[in-house]
Amino acid sequence: MSSALPPLREVIARHGLAARKALGQNFLLDLNLTGRIARAAGPLEGHDVVEVGPGPGGLTRALLDHDARRVIAVERDARCLAALEEIAAAYPGRLTIVEGDALETDLSALATRPARIVANLPYNIATPLLVGWLQTEPWPPWFSSLTLMFQREVAERIVAAPGGKAYGRLAVLAQWRTRPRILFDIDRRAFTPPPAVTSSVVELVPRDAPLADADPRALETVVAAAFGQRRKMLRASLKSLGRDPLAMIEAAGAVPTQRAEELSVEQFCALARAYASGL
């Protein structure tokens, strides 16, 4: 079906779609790579797919070609809508275009289960979008998987193990509720315009139950405090929470002289429980 559509470069030229840095845009035009991402997210048959920041629709085409039941494309750049409408016409009834900011859109209300989220995320909103999805209530969430493109540095922070510099807030929040892994890298030259860094495609599969019990907001608060001053020992970094840090640390089975990067996800959950209990 996509063979009836003009090449992406022609579409971009015809609609004047120069990528805008202010919107975090880098268009992926390589059909081999968009196809690889769609396959990595699969199987898509029988699934709704939510795509954030489709731009001119390179990945959108691939998702439809790989048998997504329906693609819901959320795009805030009105310049891209005409190009997406061309794709919608080529795949009748299978592409829903939503003009709006994904950070302010209830994506769960747009998709019918089973659903997946697949996106070459705009770099400037990638992290807040991911954190929002990780805080979805109730859990397990409405999506069965996340297949997302990030800057390589962000991808490494998502999958990092305790003890290293990359381990921090994103690792704790992601690994608490999902099983994340880096699938493959994409060279910067595959994009128009080329970003300054390599990108990575990351898969996050929701766990049926989190690694340990914790309130999402309490965990976010504790993790932010601990890593906000990551060079300090826990007894100092947790003072900003307005609780007795030593009592919280003891309840978590940690040591006051440890630093945030030394704690496991489960220990952060124990800190969050202690914080929520008012210790």
Side-chain angles (χ1 to χ4, degrees):
M1 181 70 77
S2 64
S3 60
L5 288 166
L8 278 169
R9 290 189 187 279
E10 180 184 317
V11 172
I12 288 171
R14 180 155 41 87
H15 293 287
L17 296 179
R20 286 182 176 169
K21 190 172 183 180
L23 295 177
Q25 291 175 329
N26 297 95
F27 298 150
L28 184 60
L29 307 184
D30 187 320
L31 297 181
N32 291 323
L33 289 173
T34 55
R36 187 179 182 190
I37 295 168
R39 287 192 299 275
L44 301 181
E45 187 176 355
H47 286 72
D48 278 9
V49 176
V50 174
E51 182 189 6
V52 174
L59 179 56
T60 313
R61 296 184 185 193
L63 295 170
L64 291 163
D65 276 342
H66 285 77
D67 299 322
R69 175 176 62 201
R70 185 169 64 112
V71 174
I72 299 100
V74 183
E75 178 58 67
R76 64 174 292 193
D77 185 356
R79 300 177 308 147
C80 296
L81 300 182
L84 294 171
E85 292 288 358
E86 292 180 15
I87 301 173
Y91 296 87
R94 293 180 56 207
L95 175 58
T96 301
I97 303 164
V98 178
E99 183 181 4
D101 186 336
L103 287 169
E104 300 171 2
T105 303
D106 181 6
L107 301 179
S108 66
L110 302 174
T112 301
R113 297 189 188 198
R116 303 185 187 276
I117 300 177
V118 186
N120 168 17
L121 294 175
Y123 282 158
N124 55 354
I125 61 169
T127 298
L129 276 174
L130 175 60
V131 171
W133 291 327
L134 293 171
Q135 292 178 333
T136 297
E137 293 293 349
W139 197 272
W142 56 272
F143 50 85
S144 58
S145 66
L146 300 163
T147 306
L148 307 170
M149 195 186 309
F150 297 95
Q151 295 181 44
R152 175 72 193 189
E153 178 190 352
V154 177
E156 289 173 345
R157 283 162 45 202
I158 292 168
V159 303
K165 288 183 178 179
Y167 183 71
R169 169 176 171 257
L170 265 187
V172 174
L173 297 179
Q175 294 170 35
W176 174 52
R177 279 184 154 178
T178 74
R179 292 180 173 85
R181 63 188 181 117
I182 295 175
L183 299 181
F184 52 88
D185 292 342
I186 295 183
D187 190 278
R188 55 186 294 276
R189 292 169 295 185
F191 296 89
T192 300
V197 295
T198 296
S199 298
S200 299
V201 176
V202 180
E203 175 192 67
L204 300 99
V205 177
R207 298 178 185 273
D208 290 335
L211 271 181
D213 183 48
D215 174 79
R217 303 299 170 187
L219 182 62
E220 166 75 29
T221 300
V222 166
V223 169
F227 285 105
Q229 304 180 73
R230 65 182 298 146
R231 300 184 70 172
K232 291 188 175 181
M233 297 177 186
L234 290 174
R235 65 188 182 196
S237 62
L238 296 180
K239 281 184 179 179
S240 63
L241 295 173
R243 305 274 199 276
D244 176 1
L246 296 181
M248 288 176 57
I249 293 165
E250 182 180 357
V255 178
T257 54
Q258 283 184 295
R259 290 176 172 79
E261 66 191 39
E262 298 176 71
L263 265 59
S264 67
V265 174
E266 291 88 345
Q267 285 177 303
F268 274 111
C269 290
L271 278 177
R273 293 194 298 272
Y275 171 74
S277 72
L279 273 182

